[in-house]
Amino acid sequence: MTTTRHTLTHQSLHKTFHTIGLVGRPRGDNTLRMHKNVFNWLNDRGYKVLVEPEIGNQLHLAPKYIANLQQIGEQAQLVIVIGGDGNMLGKARDFAKYNIPLIGINRGNLGFLTDIDPNQTYTQLEACLERGEFFVEERFLLEVKIEGDDGVYQAACAVNEAVVHPAKIAHMLDFHVYINDKFAFSQRSDGLIIATPTGSTAYSLSAGGPIMTPDLNALALVPMFPHTLSSRPLVIDGDSKVSIRFADHQHSGLEVGCDSQITLNIRPTDVVHIQKSPHKLRLLHLNNYNYYNVLSSKLGWLRNKN
């Protein structure tokens, strides 16, 4: 992970963010009202604001303010995502290839990736945009490729995790794992989670995986209900390639899920390859952002009162 810190004068403000994208899936009138208020706030301060069509049309905005995700990615210097972590995950995958930072206004439950408190939206946006009190953190994504007899025929990316599992509930997988093309282990389980540090506080955590700080260059391989008690999560170098092959007798339907939002159907004869993506998620944080404060708040850890 790398971080870049900025301190801007008012005069240098618009050299950093000329155009700002406003995205996120509204959930009810309150969220849509937030989109409208943020749009007006940005527009009143002279920013060029591009809003994705689903939102822009509901707000009855003029066509000059409406743009698709590709246009936003190509023109904006910053994207504001209004919603929960699920929205942020989807938009992170959409915008990673454009190398622009994202910041989230939390309208969900956990908010590991959405920094801005909806009760302090404009104070925090002002600190970021008007006073330049922010830094940019880079986190890596996963690239998932499905290889068949004729080569790779499916691909997707994931911010949190890739999960290999049966298509039917309560069916076990019998598979072999290779790390950098070297055999590592065989396993019978309900599936395998390959998680990034960003995803270590998501599905992986609920399956007993370790919490990894975002600056680690590491992957966690976490078994799901393994058939043996000796099976444990394994943390490996983040630059490793993980390949999964299935036992000859594995005939049931198989899937790879990416962030629980994208599903790739695979055949028992396929090989699943998972490794670091060339693209990165760039998160913009306020200068007072502290990952450990977020962690303790979201997980309900006791804090030192001193």
Side-chain angles (χ1 to χ4, degrees):
M1 180 202 76
T2 60
T3 58
T4 305
R5 291 186 179 270
H6 296 259
T7 301
L8 306 179
T9 64
H10 187 75
Q11 289 77 13
S12 65
L13 167 66
H14 292 288
K15 294 181 181 179
T16 301
F17 302 124
H18 303 275
T19 304
I20 297 177
L22 186 60
V23 302
R25 179 169 296 175
R27 294 194 301 181
D29 292 341
N30 288 337
T31 306
L32 190 60
R33 190 177 302 114
M34 173 68 78
H35 282 88
K36 181 178 181 180
N37 292 340
V38 172
F39 170 83
N40 289 335
W41 190 90
L42 293 170
N43 195 46
D44 290 346
R45 282 156 181 77
Y47 295 100
K48 179 181 178 181
V49 187
L50 297 178
V51 182
E52 62 178 324
E54 181 182 358
I55 302 165
N57 291 330
Q58 290 185 68
L59 296 178
H60 307 291
L61 298 180
K64 67 178 182 179
Y65 297 117
I66 298 176
N68 60 37
L69 296 183
Q70 179 179 344
Q71 292 168 328
I72 293 174
E74 292 173 347
Q75 298 179 41
Q77 292 85 45
L78 173 68
V79 173
I80 297 175
V81 183
I82 300 178
D85 283 344
N87 269 300
M88 180 63 89
L89 289 173
K91 300 310 180 186
R93 293 193 304 270
D94 290 331
F95 289 111
K97 61 185 176 183
Y98 298 106
N99 198 37
I100 55 176
L102 282 69
I103 189 167
I105 300 174
N106 184 27
R107 302 296 294 179
N109 295 318
L110 287 176
F112 274 105
L113 297 175
T114 49
D115 286 8
I116 293 182
D117 184 336
N119 296 318
Q120 302 181 50
T121 297
Y122 305 106
T123 300
Q124 294 182 336
L125 282 178
E126 184 176 6
C128 167
L129 302 178
E130 302 289 298
R131 299 197 298 274
E133 297 172 359
F134 68 86
F135 67 97
V136 177
E137 174 193 34
E138 291 185 345
R139 301 189 184 186
F140 70 84
L141 285 69
L142 295 178
E143 186 174 63
V144 180
K145 295 181 178 179
I146 311 301
E147 181 183 3
D149 294 336
D150 298 324
V152 173
Y153 71 98
Q154 290 188 89
C157 67
V159 178
N160 274 349
E161 73 278 308
V163 183
V164 181
H165 61 91
K168 295 181 179 179
I169 297 174
H171 280 236
M172 269 203 165
L173 289 185
D174 195 341
F175 57 92
H176 315 293
V177 176
Y178 295 78
I179 299 174
N180 295 327
D181 298 320
K182 296 180 179 179
F183 174 75
F185 59 87
S186 295
Q187 188 175 100
R188 291 192 69 211
S189 67
D190 283 10
L192 184 68
I193 302 170
I194 299 90
T196 65
T198 300
S200 69
T201 52
Y203 192 27
S204 171
L205 184 62
S206 67
I211 295 175
M212 300 185 292
T213 56
D215 56 335
L216 286 178
N217 182 32
L219 295 173
L221 278 58
V222 183
M224 300 166 61
F225 299 101
H227 196 255
T228 172
L229 295 176
S230 63
S231 182
R232 291 290 182 267
L234 174 66
V235 178
I236 62 175
D237 186 274
D239 292 316
S240 302
K241 180 180 76 171
V242 178
S243 301
I244 301 170
R245 299 176 181 269
F246 302 95
D248 292 339
H249 61 270
Q250 187 75 56
H251 299 300
S252 62
L254 307 171
E255 295 179 349
V256 179
C258 298
D259 296 335
S260 299
Q261 295 180 343
I262 297 175
T263 300
L264 304 178
N265 294 309
I266 55 178
R267 302 165 298 202
T269 54
D270 290 338
V271 182
V272 180
H273 299 292
I274 301 167
Q275 62 188 122
K276 187 182 292 185
S277 168
H279 305 299
K280 294 182 180 180
L281 166 60
R282 303 185 72 220
L283 289 174
L284 188 145
H285 300 294
L286 291 170
N287 281 346
N288 62 1
Y289 170 83
N290 182 331
Y291 172 76
Y292 298 102
N293 285 345
V294 175
L295 198 62
S296 62
S297 172
K298 305 307 178 184
L299 298 183
W301 291 351
L302 293 177
R303 295 190 180 185
N304 187 342
K305 296 182 180 180
N306 294 331

